[in-house]
Amino acid sequence: MAEKHTYIQIVDARSGNIERIVDFAEIEALSTEEKLALSRGKQLFIVTHRLEPIVKVEMRKTTINEPVNFGNDSQPEPEEPIKPEPEKPVNPKGRK
């Protein structure tokens, strides 16, 4: 059976951004001074599962051979407004 790991999430107290997620064993291996320095201005949370990203985005460098214009040179065609369908009269099942 797989060994259960405990992770610690380190969050910056001012901005609220997650700095990193580390294994609890790494924090236990730190000296007392390092632990104290780590906790200043930070919030530490115990995390039961460490999530790994499924999708990775890669940026590729390509050379630009001609100037690129990012503005709209042509006016977009106006879209036709959507007309609601006429409501069908409801035939309630009445009592006799």
Side-chain angles (χ1 to χ4, degrees):
M1 184 181 255
E3 183 180 334
K4 184 176 178 181
H5 291 280
T6 303
Y7 297 98
I8 304 295
Q9 178 177 327
I10 302 172
V11 178
D12 185 26
R14 289 186 183 150
S15 65
N17 294 332
I18 299 172
E19 284 190 2
R20 60 188 171 157
I21 298 176
V22 296
D23 196 348
F24 185 68
E26 290 180 36
I27 293 184
E28 285 293 317
L30 295 176
S31 68
T32 307
E33 292 83 17
E34 291 172 328
K35 289 179 187 177
L36 184 61
L38 178 67
S39 67
R40 286 196 180 121
K42 309 279 192 262
Q43 295 175 338
L44 305 176
F45 297 98
I46 296 176
V47 181
T48 57
H49 296 83
R50 183 172 183 173
L51 300 176
E52 298 291 332
I54 296 173
V55 177
K56 293 185 180 180
V57 178
E58 292 183 12
M59 302 292 288
R60 297 183 183 179
K61 294 181 182 179
T62 58
T63 57
I64 299 175
N65 298 331
E66 57 187 48
V68 178
N69 295 326
F70 292 103
N72 284 339
D73 294 334
S74 62
Q75 294 292 332
E77 296 181 16
E79 296 179 9
E80 295 182 20
I82 300 173
K83 296 178 184 176
E85 295 182 17
E87 294 183 18
K88 297 179 182 177
V90 179
N91 294 330
K93 295 181 180 178
R95 295 180 186 163
K96 292 183 180 180

